Amino acid sequence: MLFVIIFSLVASSSQQFSYLAQAFIHGHLNFLHSIGGKGQDPVLYHGRIYWDEGPLPAILLAPFVWFLNLFHLFFFQGYLQWVLTLGTTFFVYKLARILAFSQEDSFFLALTFVLCSVFIGVAVVSSSWLFAQVLTTFLIFWSLYEFYAHKRWWLVGIICGLIFLTRATAAPIIVFFGLEIISQRTLLNSRMKNLLVLLSPVALAVMLQGLYNFVRFHNPFNGGYEFQLIGPESAEARSMGIFSIKHLPTNLYSLFFRAPVPVLKDSTSWSLKFPYIQNNIFGMSIFLNSPYLLFIFTNKWSKFDRRSRNLIATILIIALIVLCYYGIGAEEFGYRYALDFLPEAFLLFMIMYRKSHEKITFGMKSLIIGSVILNFYLLLSYI
């Protein structure tokens, strides 16, 4: 865990959100200077460079950037990212405690999510794309904790709106909360009131994003992806549609089957050399990074209660959206786009595991620890 925090602090490349925060402070929605060419995903429109990611990370960074500006210093995203990583760990721990895991097992599960999932790949590097995913993961777990601990629907709605303004593809988590409200055994008027309280902040976030898009690209539904300067391979995939079912086979392969890359002695040999295998920059199977998730599939459908089935429905909706996206998250550790639905999947794992086990078994702990070792081994070739 200390390794993750330290490395995220020293990483200093691709600080687009900090640069965008600088622009916001000066009253601009476009970057004040060039952020680089292909590989940095600039969005060129009418001679100005914009950013296609949601605006919330830059808004969050703006006060810190402004403060260090007073001392002529630059605020790197990693200065805040480690706080979000610890916050994510805290919320996973609290959820585990609510599900009646012991303190020791809850702490173990919190570290499991951070170190034994694709989250470790975004937590160790504070580049803008990964910073946004760390923030999104933090917000998702916060919303789930708020649901379990307090059920203040206005706050859950606000958090969902913040998720939309960070990574819109993760925002369908609101489906889970909506299903939970609808299935409550209360008066219809009470359910409708709670649903309105939940949806109102998200509707406001959608309108704000639409206004943000309109001011930049004269279209509330255009986030700038079609103007993004990208390499020929990505451009070819984008030509089939930014979101299209045509991308489903490629992304399903990355999510479930893509393996590490063998390290060969030379280009003409099939003999391996140390370190024998290394990270695959195009992603790796989620079951390689998080093999414990296979436990979910060992349960009969009848064992899944209403809440678990609502989680499954939400996971499938988000996964379908993500898997239809043209990008593959190149130069990544694991299939990082899975983080849009992985918190829900991890919660589902904890729910189903607790139903059949009073504590985490030695076998499960051994599997997780072994996977952590493998993740770190592969991570060394990634960072």
Side-chain angles (χ1 to χ4, degrees):
M1 187 70 177
L2 185 61
F3 169 83
V4 173
I5 292 173
I6 292 175
F7 205 88
S8 68
L9 281 170
V10 300
S12 59
S13 62
S14 302
Q15 301 291 302
Q16 285 93 329
F17 280 123
S18 287
Y19 295 137
L20 188 58
Q22 289 274 17
F24 287 173
I25 291 169
H26 289 85
H28 296 275
L29 299 182
N30 59 288
F31 290 108
L32 302 180
H33 55 76
S34 173
I35 61 170
K38 297 174 182 176
Q40 296 299 307
D41 293 352
V43 176
L44 180 61
Y45 185 76
H46 289 184
R48 294 180 176 178
I49 300 296
Y50 296 93
W51 189 235
D52 55 356
E53 300 275 346
L56 181 67
I59 295 172
L60 182 63
L61 288 166
F64 303 100
V65 171
W66 172 84
F67 180 74
L68 283 196
N69 279 349
L70 299 177
F71 304 96
H72 306 288
L73 297 172
F74 184 78
F75 190 89
F76 289 95
Q77 293 156 178
Y79 296 167
L80 184 59
Q81 182 158 305
W82 70 273
V83 178
L84 297 174
T85 299
L86 288 180
T88 298
T89 308
F90 170 78
F91 283 129
V92 177
Y93 171 82
K94 295 295 287 185
L95 282 168
R97 291 294 289 148
I98 290 172
L99 294 173
F101 283 98
S102 68
Q103 287 185 345
E104 179 184 344
D105 283 351
S106 297
F107 184 69
F108 184 82
L109 286 166
L111 291 182
T112 294
F113 180 80
V114 174
L115 304 179
C116 196
S117 75
V118 296
F119 184 76
I120 190 175
V122 301
V124 298
V125 180
S126 62
S127 65
S128 288
W129 310 273
L130 310 188
F131 178 79
Q133 290 195 284
V134 171
L135 176 57
T136 300
T137 305
F138 167 81
L139 291 171
I140 292 173
F141 274 119
W142 183 14
S143 69
L144 292 171
Y145 168 73
E146 174 60 32
F147 165 74
Y148 270 92
H150 305 293
K151 286 188 175 61
R152 292 175 292 195
W153 294 116
W154 62 270
L155 182 54
V156 174
I158 289 173
I159 298 170
C160 288
L162 297 178
I163 292 171
F164 180 83
L165 292 172
T166 306
R167 279 186 63 82
T169 48
I173 189 178
I174 199 172
V175 172
F176 169 69
F177 301 123
L179 290 173
E180 286 295 304
I181 290 175
I182 292 171
S183 58
Q184 286 177 341
R185 295 180 179 179
T186 57
L187 294 175
L188 179 61
N189 286 345
S190 176
R191 281 179 283 167
M192 292 300 101
K193 178 182 177 181
N194 288 337
L195 200 59
L196 180 62
V197 170
L198 173 71
L199 295 177
S200 295
V202 179
L204 177 61
V206 172
M207 288 188 288
L208 290 174
Q209 181 68 50
L211 179 62
Y212 182 59
N213 292 342
F214 182 80
V215 173
R216 295 182 302 162
F217 308 121
H218 306 100
N219 184 341
F221 305 106
N222 191 334
Y225 285 93
E226 65 183 78
F227 308 122
Q228 193 179 57
L229 301 181
I230 53 180
E233 298 87 356
S234 297
E236 182 179 353
R238 186 177 62 183
S239 67
M240 295 188 289
I242 295 175
F243 287 94
S244 171
I245 198 170
K246 295 178 182 178
H247 305 305
L248 201 55
T250 301
N251 290 326
L252 279 173
Y253 173 72
S254 294
L255 178 64
F256 291 128
F257 304 113
R258 200 181 291 274
V261 177
V263 181
L264 303 177
K265 287 186 175 181
D266 53 62
S267 60
T268 60
S269 172
W270 55 74
S271 298
L272 298 179
K273 66 176 182 179
F274 184 82
Y276 310 115
I277 57 172
Q278 63 184 9
N279 176 63
N280 191 329
I281 63 171
F282 299 112
M284 292 181 294
S285 168
I286 193 173
F287 298 126
L288 179 69
N289 299 126
S290 307
Y292 52 84
L293 290 177
L294 289 168
F295 175 81
I296 296 173
F297 299 92
T298 66
N299 295 274
K300 294 181 180 179
W301 181 248
S302 58
K303 288 187 176 181
F304 293 90
D305 60 15
R306 173 186 53 77
R307 180 163 295 170
S308 298
R309 294 182 183 187
N310 288 343
L311 272 173
I312 291 172
T314 304
I315 291 167
L316 291 176
I317 290 170
I318 298 174
L320 179 61
I321 295 171
V322 170
L323 292 168
C324 287
Y325 180 59
Y326 83 93
I328 58 174
E331 298 189 16
E332 60 188 344
F333 180 79
Y335 185 69
R336 65 180 177 89
Y337 290 155
L339 280 171
D340 285 348
F341 57 84
L342 190 59
E344 295 93 322
F346 192 80
L347 174 60
L348 180 62
F349 161 72
M350 291 196 295
I351 291 172
M352 300 310 297
Y353 195 84
R354 186 65 187 86
K355 283 186 176 183
S356 55
H357 298 81
E358 290 186 3
K359 61 180 182 178
I360 303 175
T361 63
F362 175 78
M364 179 59 75
K365 285 185 177 180
S366 299
L367 174 66
I368 291 172
I369 292 172
S371 183
V372 169
I373 294 172
L374 177 61
N375 280 344
F376 269 95
Y377 185 75
L378 295 171
L379 193 69
L380 293 176
S381 61
Y382 167 67
I383 57 178

